[in-house]
Amino acid sequence: MTIDTLKAAKKAIGAKQTVKSVERGQVEIVFLASDAENRVVQPIRELCSKKNIEVQETLTMQELGQACSIAVGAAAVAVLK
């Protein structure tokens, strides 16, 4: 999935919203920022592993924030089904 696809997709932005969406079974794929603090993204990574949800960690927090059209970085973004 590219940044352009991410921009157009319906998504949950941020670690807390990502966790909620994963727990509800609403997520197609999760993007975790490669430069986010491990204490923030590790629980999401583990939850996605349990739920068999694909995780990509190629973008930075700034790139994820830009892809979501927000002025700050994002540690996690979930693309919703």
Side-chain angles (χ1 to χ4, degrees):
M1 183 171 276
T2 65
I3 288 181
D4 291 333
T5 311
L6 183 58
K7 284 181 182 179
K10 186 170 181 182
K11 56 199 158 291
I13 303 167
K16 290 179 185 175
Q17 293 301 319
T18 297
V19 168
K20 287 179 186 176
S21 297
V22 170
E23 287 174 342
R24 291 185 193 127
Q26 301 170 325
V27 176
E28 206 173 294
I29 184 172
V30 169
F31 289 87
L32 297 177
S34 58
D35 59 344
E37 290 186 38
N38 198 47
R39 67 177 177 81
V40 174
V41 295
Q42 186 60 32
I44 300 169
R45 194 180 293 121
E46 290 171 6
L47 181 60
C48 289
S49 178
K50 288 179 191 170
K51 301 267 188 179
N52 293 320
I53 295 171
E54 182 183 350
V55 175
Q56 284 194 8
E57 297 186 60
T58 56
L59 302 174
T60 65
M61 288 180 69
Q62 182 180 354
E63 289 168 332
L64 279 176
Q66 287 173 346
C68 296
S69 302
I70 59 174
V72 295
V77 176
V79 175
L80 304 178
K81 293 179 183 175

